[in-house]
Amino acid sequence: MSGFTIRRFVLQNITAVAAHCPSVTVASTAVAVMTGVAAPPTAPASSPASSSSGASSVVSSWVRNMLTGAPDASSLSSTKTGFGLVTAEEMEWIRRRRREGAEESRVVLATRPGRSVLRGVAGGALNSCLGFIVSPLVFLAVALELVRLGNGVSSLLTGPCYGFVWGGIFFACAQYAAAQQVLMCGYYSCVATPLYYCVNRRPLVRADATPMMPAPRARAWIFGALSCRFEVPQGTLHAHHPMLLLYDAPSVLRERAMKRLAHRDKSKSKKEAQYAGKGKANGAGPDDDDYYGLLGLSPDATPRQVKEAYSQKALHLHPDRNPNPDAARQFDRVTKAYRVLSNPQKRRKFDLAGTKGVEDTGVKKREGVRALFGGAELNKLAGDAFLGSFSQRVIDGLDFTAEELAVIRQHMYESCRDELLGTYLAHYDASAAATTDVMGGSVKRAATVAATKSGPWKGDAVALQLRKMLNTGLAKEVLYTIGHEYQRVIACFDMEDSGSASLPSLAMQRAKFYASVSGPHRWHLQRRKVKYLTTVRSHTFKNSEAMVDLAWFTSVQELETTARHVALMILYEPSLSATEATTRRNALAALAESFIMYGQPYKGASKATMDQLMSSLREYQQQRQREKDSE
């Protein structure tokens, strides 16, 4: 078993590094190995990777046969002496375990490149050191296992050979991962992000959605070839990286995170009890939170068995029948366990995360955060403010991996885009705004919007939606923030001048805009965030005003990042015609002005604002409770 563990460890690290390779073909191959099915091409038609599906299939088949041995392997020993790292049966077991529990703890290499050069250098150094340390262990584990399972003197020769091969493969993979971390992090922070900001242009598409000539090949080549940052694909805002196919819906990821956290807390409690010498003696009985043990049941007990077990326990432990002084407490424990296990929804939460899952403190925290930042309706548009700034363990009570958070962030961007298009921009009335001058900016049209009751919106739908959200938490501040971010994106979009501006001229204009507007704003927010984080003390968490200031300045950047990427996804959709792009631009500009008109800047948490905020939070929670009761 130890041999399989180290071989599984090598396999997971190799596929994790390959899945984040900038080549979509290599990433698709890694996904195919882990899922057992060929990954479909995910790049747009203009990307060079879209023509590599055939090559990806051939490479995937070859790599799969190399890693898992012969595809027709029928037993563990039939391919144990082959070149395959794991057998077909072992590979299927790994896939099943991954689907059930998403176990990724054995991936120790830094795999996913980020936007920070410092983090890339640190990840590269870690990978390089691990390559030197772990590869000898891989050599010994594989070699000794093959010698132990082999027959005859030949195993003494083949075992070290295979151990050397797989130890060398892990070493080479670790060094490649180190180079990938340094180079890709440097590329994203120093090359891709500035180029994307300065010279990215929308495709030239006719009104019938057919591309105009010449097609924007340069844009696709610059930003479509390197797309391993699957949470925010550079230049291909509507493309899905193959890595996303390895993960399920966010609700499934949340359940896995609950289960993972419960398992970790349970192991921690056992270790603390053993260390303190407080382990229960034999026959001491189950713990209060062991509901199955209190009823004498197994986790797979049927509802009928649960009811029968409770009936027997209740008859025996009821205070009227049991003279034991502790009978009342024991009866209450059994009754509490029965109430949970007899309720299908509560039992499912208990199976996932124990008593914490039943109490679901994470839901209460999420409701509190959602109320603070404008409520559920505004959360659909602005996204999860704490997704990147605060630990998910603090807010959700969950244990997400970095990859799972990236997948959730990608789904969040897509859901916010759909909400913005369907609930807000779809109600834009172009004819109502046709009398205003929208070319070269939005000043005249914005003045008209501000002077009317609802602006160019059909049936006052958007105005009603905004008024419904304004009195919840910091909704006004959130609307004001994302409205200004929409305007900054539109300002960059307008610099294209309908595609007629040359790339050098466009790059110069956007560079000046970043140096004078966007850059100073972002650096100011970053300084405020660092300032509040460095002044956190124990008394900060007892001061409600200081907590609100901390929450705002550690989350406002995440709000703006979500608004920026959602606006880019809407304006730079590849199949969008020139007319539709102009309509969306005007609708987004009108919405941004409406947000600013209804909102207000954040001025800090004073006593008066805290009283108003607490009142709105209580009202919001009462409303949510009434909705749950009615359901």
Side-chain angles (χ1 to χ4, degrees):
M1 188 63 185
S2 60
F4 172 56
T5 300
I6 195 68
R7 288 183 288 114
R8 178 189 176 190
F9 166 81
V10 175
L11 175 68
Q12 289 183 328
N13 280 273
I14 291 175
T15 53
V17 172
H20 294 89
C21 178
S23 171
V24 179
T25 300
V26 176
S28 300
T29 301
V31 172
V33 170
M34 291 303 296
T35 59
V37 296
T42 57
S46 59
S47 176
S50 62
S51 61
S52 62
S53 58
S56 176
S57 178
V58 174
V59 175
S60 174
S61 177
W62 181 81
V63 172
R64 193 184 313 173
N65 292 338
M66 186 192 74
L67 293 178
T68 63
D72 57 349
S74 58
S75 65
L76 182 67
S77 60
S78 63
T79 58
K80 182 60 69 174
T81 58
F83 191 73
L85 183 61
V86 297
T87 66
E89 289 78 11
E90 290 171 339
M91 190 67 206
E92 184 58 33
W93 184 86
I94 292 174
R95 291 171 183 146
R96 185 173 66 252
R97 290 288 296 173
R98 194 187 188 288
R99 289 191 298 267
E100 294 174 355
E103 292 188 355
E104 300 295 332
S105 58
R106 292 186 176 90
V107 177
V108 298
L109 297 177
T111 58
R112 180 168 58 92
R115 288 175 290 180
S116 171
V117 176
L118 182 62
R119 184 173 298 178
V121 173
L126 172 65
N127 291 342
S128 182
C129 293
L130 288 176
F132 285 100
I133 296 173
V134 178
S135 55
L137 302 179
V138 174
F139 164 77
L140 291 175
V142 175
L144 293 177
E145 184 191 22
L146 290 176
V147 170
R148 180 177 63 86
L149 297 177
N151 296 320
V153 183
S154 61
S155 63
L156 296 177
L157 299 176
T158 58
C161 292
Y162 286 113
F164 178 79
V165 169
W166 289 112
I169 289 178
F170 180 85
F171 179 81
C173 178
Q175 302 312 311
Y176 168 79
Q180 180 173 279
Q181 282 290 304
V182 176
L183 294 178
M184 297 305 297
C185 290
Y187 168 80
Y188 287 133
S189 60
C190 302
V191 180
T193 300
L195 282 177
Y196 181 78
Y197 176 82
C198 290
V199 302
N200 182 45
R201 302 176 69 167
R202 68 179 183 270
L204 300 178
V205 182
R206 294 189 179 93
D208 58 354
T210 59
M212 297 174 61
M213 297 301 291
R217 297 293 182 185
R219 172 179 175 270
W221 181 82
I222 293 175
F223 305 108
L226 299 173
S227 57
C228 60
R229 270 186 58 233
F230 59 91
E231 69 273 25
V232 186
Q234 290 284 358
T236 52
L237 296 169
H238 294 264
H240 287 266
H241 191 271
M243 189 73 178
L244 290 173
L245 299 177
L246 290 176
Y247 294 89
D248 297 305
S251 59
V252 178
L253 297 181
R254 192 177 299 279
E255 292 180 355
R256 289 177 180 174
M258 291 176 61
K259 188 175 181 179
R260 192 183 297 122
L261 181 63
H263 178 72
R264 189 190 66 191
D265 290 345
K266 187 176 181 180
S267 300
K268 182 179 178 181
S269 300
K270 287 183 179 180
K271 290 181 180 179
E272 291 178 350
Q274 293 175 358
Y275 179 78
K278 298 180 180 179
K280 282 200 169 189
N282 294 332
D287 295 327
D288 291 348
D289 56 356
D290 184 8
Y291 291 165
Y292 288 106
L294 291 173
L295 294 177
L297 298 170
S298 61
D300 58 350
T302 63
R304 183 175 180 179
Q305 291 174 336
V306 172
K307 186 174 182 180
E308 291 176 353
Y310 173 70
S311 300
Q312 295 177 2
K313 291 283 185 179
L315 289 174
H316 177 69
L317 296 175
H318 198 280
D320 295 341
R321 294 174 175 266
N322 191 345
N324 191 333
D326 199 34
R329 190 182 71 85
Q330 295 179 2
F331 180 77
D332 291 339
R333 294 168 63 200
V334 171
T335 302
K336 183 179 180 180
Y338 172 72
R339 288 174 179 172
V340 171
L341 299 183
S342 61
N343 187 309
Q345 295 180 352
K346 291 184 178 181
R347 181 176 179 179
R348 186 168 180 274
K349 292 181 179 180
F350 177 79
D351 291 339
L352 287 172
T355 53
K356 287 186 177 180
V358 177
E359 298 171 358
D360 210 349
T361 56
V363 169
K364 298 178 181 178
K365 292 180 179 180
R366 288 193 297 273
E367 288 294 330
V369 172
R370 187 172 289 114
L372 179 64
F373 286 92
E377 294 300 324
L378 186 53
N379 184 258
K380 295 178 183 178
L381 178 67
D384 188 354
F386 285 85
L387 191 59
S389 299
F390 263 12
S391 170
Q392 285 288 322
R393 295 177 184 175
V394 174
I395 300 304
D396 274 340
L398 302 177
D399 186 14
F400 285 114
T401 65
E403 303 295 345
E404 289 171 343
L405 286 176
V407 171
I408 293 174
R409 183 179 290 108
Q410 175 67 43
H411 286 292
M412 181 187 72
Y413 289 151
E414 294 175 353
S415 62
C416 291
R417 175 200 61 194
D418 296 339
E419 177 72 12
L420 182 58
L421 282 175
T423 306
Y424 295 90
L425 301 188
H427 296 281
Y428 178 74
D429 189 358
S431 61
T435 57
T436 61
D437 182 15
V438 296
M439 298 303 296
S442 59
V443 179
K444 295 183 180 180
R445 180 192 47 73
T448 303
V449 171
T452 59
K453 178 182 178 182
S454 61
W457 309 111
K458 300 175 183 178
D460 204 20
V462 173
L464 291 175
Q465 184 75 5
L466 293 178
R467 294 191 190 103
K468 193 166 56 175
M469 299 185 302
L470 288 178
N471 295 324
T472 303
L474 299 173
K476 294 181 180 180
E477 288 79 1
V478 173
L479 289 175
Y480 187 87
T481 297
I482 62 179
H484 276 287
E485 189 61 34
Y486 288 161
Q487 287 188 339
R488 284 188 283 270
V489 173
I490 292 170
C492 293
F493 181 83
D494 289 341
M495 292 176 189
E496 296 182 24
D497 192 21
S498 301
S500 61
S502 62
L503 284 180
S505 175
L506 177 64
M508 184 64 67
Q509 292 182 48
R510 286 183 172 173
K512 290 181 178 179
F513 182 79
Y514 182 86
S516 60
V517 179
S518 299
H521 172 74
R522 295 181 190 179
W523 282 109
H524 173 71
L525 292 182
Q526 182 67 19
R527 286 195 299 269
R528 297 296 296 271
K529 175 182 177 180
V530 172
K531 174 185 175 181
Y532 277 91
L533 286 176
T534 54
T535 56
V536 171
R537 300 292 185 270
S538 58
H539 60 79
T540 304
F541 299 95
K542 301 177 182 179
N543 187 341
S544 57
E545 297 180 11
M547 279 297 297
V548 171
D549 286 335
L550 178 65
W552 175 261
F553 285 107
T554 54
S555 305
V556 63
Q557 286 182 310
E558 187 70 22
L559 291 171
E560 291 188 347
T561 300
T562 302
R564 179 165 59 253
H565 286 296
V566 170
L568 288 172
M569 293 172 74
I570 288 175
L571 295 179
Y572 287 93
E573 184 174 345
S575 61
L576 206 62
S577 66
T579 304
E580 293 173 339
T582 302
T583 302
R584 284 191 181 183
R585 177 254 176 235
N586 295 339
L588 188 64
L591 184 66
E593 188 63 34
S594 298
F595 283 177
I596 295 173
M597 180 178 65
Y598 282 99
Q600 65 183 19
Y602 184 77
K603 300 178 180 179
S606 61
K607 186 178 184 306
T609 57
M610 286 302 303
D611 293 340
Q612 182 180 0
L613 181 61
M614 292 298 106
S615 177
S616 69
L617 292 181
R618 285 192 297 268
E619 182 179 353
Y620 172 78
Q621 292 174 347
Q622 293 173 1
Q623 178 184 355
R624 295 288 292 176
Q625 188 62 42
R626 288 193 296 268
E627 293 176 356
K628 292 180 181 179
D629 295 340
S630 62
E631 294 176 357

